[in-house]
Amino acid sequence: QFRDGDGPSYRSSGFEKLRPNVLVEGGRITGLDLTPFAGQLEYQYRSRLLPLRPVLEVSDVKHNRRGLLTRKTFNAGPEFGITLAPAPSLDGTWEVIGQLEQGDDL
């Protein structure tokens, strides 16, 4: 559907919010939006509907260290955060979805 490099990508995103000693937030992909279509929400990228479905998961992993990838609970978008320290205040409203393998000198 897209030529190489023409589709949605994290290359067009950056970190947009800093919560000192908690996390950095980013992952908003320029041009990618959830839009109502035929009674449900669909992803749209540059005016083209994408055959994607939001994946909603719930994780009970705690925000107990630096370098965890996390996203707001029940967030269907590509936005995410990276913890800068243990952040128990995120437990229950954010969910851990992974961890940094290298390069945690944020």
Side-chain angles (χ1 to χ4, degrees):
Q1 183 175 10
F2 292 100
R3 296 181 308 229
D4 286 341
D6 191 32
S9 170
Y10 282 113
R11 287 181 300 230
S12 68
S13 71
F15 292 104
E16 55 199 45
K17 186 175 182 182
L18 170 65
R19 292 171 58 184
N21 299 314
V22 179
L23 83 156
V24 293
E25 294 180 50
R28 190 165 298 185
I29 297 175
T30 303
L32 181 66
D33 298 298
L34 274 174
T35 188
F37 180 79
Q40 59 187 14
L41 291 175
E42 298 282 345
Y43 281 108
Q44 179 177 317
Y45 182 69
R46 295 186 179 161
S47 302
R48 294 162 67 177
L49 288 177
L50 302 179
L52 303 173
R53 293 284 178 253
V55 176
L56 301 176
E57 300 176 19
V58 177
S59 167
D60 61 356
V61 176
K62 303 295 182 196
H63 295 85
N64 59 4
R65 65 183 183 278
R66 177 183 179 88
L68 295 174
L69 297 175
T70 186
R71 68 176 180 186
K72 290 181 182 176
T73 304
F74 302 117
N75 177 18
E79 298 85 12
F80 65 92
I82 300 173
T83 58
L84 301 173
S89 63
L90 299 177
D91 294 340
T93 56
W94 288 68
E95 60 184 335
V96 175
I97 57 173
Q99 67 183 12
L100 293 178
E101 292 294 317
Q102 60 183 342
D104 82 342
D105 53 335
L106 300 169

